[in-house]
Amino acid sequence: MQIGNSFKAVQKAINAADEQFGNSWEVNDEYLDILSEYCENIDALGDQYQAIMYIAEVDKTTMEIKITLGCTGLYTGYGALWSQERAFDTEKLFYPIAERCVRLEFSSDEDLLKIQFVFPSIWERV
Amino acid sequence: MYYEELDDYSEYPDYIAEAMREEYDQAFEDLIDCFDIADKHTSVLNFQRLKELYVCYQLVQSVVDKSNTKISLELHKPVANMGYVEIKGKRINVTQPKKFVEICRLASNIEVLPMTDGNTVLNIGFNDITNIIEGD
C-alpha cells in the first residue's frame, strides 16, 4: 500500500475504537489536533523514505494509539553518506516525533523495517 | 558480479546514467579517502568523545528493553576514528523514547536496518573518537 495521509487511517482506527469504548469515554479534541500534527511529521518521514505501508491501531486496554511505518531503513546524521540532505531532514522529522512517544519499537519483516510509534490515549472519561 | 550490477545503468536515459555513474564514483572515492585519512596518520584519543560513547552505551541499556536484544560496543570500527553502539534483536523496544532521543543527539549518526536473518539492527555511531595529529 502506498502511503497517503496517515491521519485518515488513524481517524478510522479512532472511530472504530470509539464505538467500542462506549459513552463513558470521549475523544479530547485538543489531543486529537496534536496527534494530527504528529501524523503530518510521520507522513513527511514516510515520503522521504518512500514508505510502502503503514498501520494505525488503538490498543483496547491501554487506549494508546499505535502508528506503524514500513520503509527500507532509517538514517540520521552522517549515516547516509550518499545523501547528507536526506539525513538532516530525518533528524528534524524523526526526533521530534520519537521524543513524544510513549514507546518506540523497531522490527523487521523480510527486507522491510517497521517503525512503531506508540502515542498516549486521547480519550477522557466523561 | 555485485559491482557489475551496481554499474548497470542501462535502464536509465544516457544523461541520467552518466550523472549516476559520476556520483557513484565520487562517493566511492570519498569513502576510500575517509579510510585512508583515518588509518594512515598518527592520531590521539579524543577522551571527551570516547566518554560520550561509553555514556551512550551505559544509558542505552536502561532505555531499551534488554530481554530480547543484544547490546554491544565496538571501538575503532569500521574506521580507526569511529566507534558505535549496536543494538540487535527481533524487536527493539525503546521504553523511554525521550531519553533515547537525547542519547541519539550525542551521536554523529544513527542507522536502523532490517537484516536478512530477521533481526533488526540499530547502530548509534560516534565519529572523531581519535583526532589526527596536525602536520603528521
Side-chain angles (χ1 to χ4, degrees):
Chain A
M1 192 195 321
Q2 185 61 43
I3 197 157
N5 184 346
S6 68
F7 188 61
K8 279 182 185 167
V10 170
Q11 261 182 327
K12 279 182 190 169
I14 288 171
N15 290 342
D18 208 25
E19 284 174 19
Q20 290 189 345
F21 293 154
N23 294 331
S24 53
W25 295 93
E26 195 181 62
V27 172
N28 182 319
D29 290 335
E30 197 182 327
Y31 295 163
L32 191 65
D33 286 344
I34 295 168
L35 189 65
S36 74
E37 285 173 23
Y38 297 162
C39 285
E40 280 174 23
N41 266 21
I42 292 171
D43 282 347
L45 196 66
D47 285 346
Q48 203 166 54
Y49 281 93
Q50 293 161 346
I52 53 165
M53 59 156 269
Y54 69 90
I55 304 159
E57 54 186 326
V58 177
D59 191 308
K60 298 290 184 295
T61 47
T62 59
M63 293 178 162
E64 289 166 342
I65 293 156
K66 297 174 179 176
I67 305 172
T68 309
L69 183 78
C71 55
T72 51
L74 182 85
Y75 314 89
T76 72
Y78 302 108
L81 189 67
W82 323 119
S83 175
Q84 290 289 334
E85 198 179 330
R86 188 177 76 166
F88 180 63
D89 279 353
T90 306
E91 254 174 62
K92 284 199 293 188
L93 293 170
F94 176 69
Y95 287 164
I97 324 170
E99 60 188 354
R100 283 164 179 82
C101 288
V102 178
R103 279 191 318 281
L104 187 66
E105 193 180 282
F106 301 98
S107 59
S108 57
D109 183 4
E110 294 183 354
D111 55 349
L112 189 73
L113 173 72
K114 289 181 177 177
I115 309 165
Q116 187 179 70
F117 303 95
V118 183
F119 294 108
S121 169
I122 58 163
W123 281 270
E124 277 184 336
R125 197 173 272 281
V126 179
Chain B
M1 185 64 187
Y2 181 60
Y3 187 81
E4 278 175 10
E5 280 177 18
L6 281 173
D7 208 21
D8 182 17
Y9 301 109
S10 55
E11 61 183 290
Y12 299 101
D14 285 348
Y15 71 101
I16 293 179
E18 185 59 33
M20 286 175 87
R21 203 171 285 119
E22 280 174 17
E23 184 76 14
Y24 178 78
D25 289 347
Q26 186 58 48
F28 199 70
E29 279 170 23
D30 289 350
L31 192 63
I32 291 167
D33 287 348
C34 176
F35 277 74
D36 278 354
I37 291 165
D39 289 340
K40 287 184 180 171
H41 292 75
T42 311
S43 55
V44 288
L45 209 56
N46 180 348
F47 279 106
Q48 183 60 32
R49 200 71 183 129
L50 191 68
K51 221 188 288 177
E52 285 173 356
L53 175 57
Y54 275 98
V55 164
C56 170
Y57 177 57
Q58 293 297 328
L59 292 179
V60 152
Q61 309 205 26
S62 62
V63 300
V64 173
D65 182 7
K66 286 193 290 181
S67 59
N68 48 8
T69 52
K70 187 185 163 198
I71 303 171
S72 55
L73 171 74
E74 296 285 352
L75 279 175
H76 309 299
K77 284 180 183 174
V79 191
N81 69 344
M82 288 162 79
Y84 61 91
V85 174
E86 185 185 78
I87 307 159
K88 193 173 182 180
K90 296 274 180 206
R91 282 177 180 272
I92 300 171
N93 199 344
V94 181
T95 50
Q96 297 180 56
K98 200 176 166 74
K99 282 187 183 172
F100 173 74
V101 170
E102 282 169 10
I103 295 163
C104 288
R105 284 196 166 120
L106 279 178
S108 308
N109 68 302
I110 70 160
E111 297 168 348
V112 196
L113 293 165
M115 305 298 281
T116 47
D117 59 2
N119 283 319
T120 306
V121 172
L122 195 161
N123 282 336
I124 307 174
F126 285 74
N127 297 349
D128 303 327
I129 60 168
T130 59
N131 287 335
I132 293 164
I133 298 170
E134 279 181 41
D136 181 57

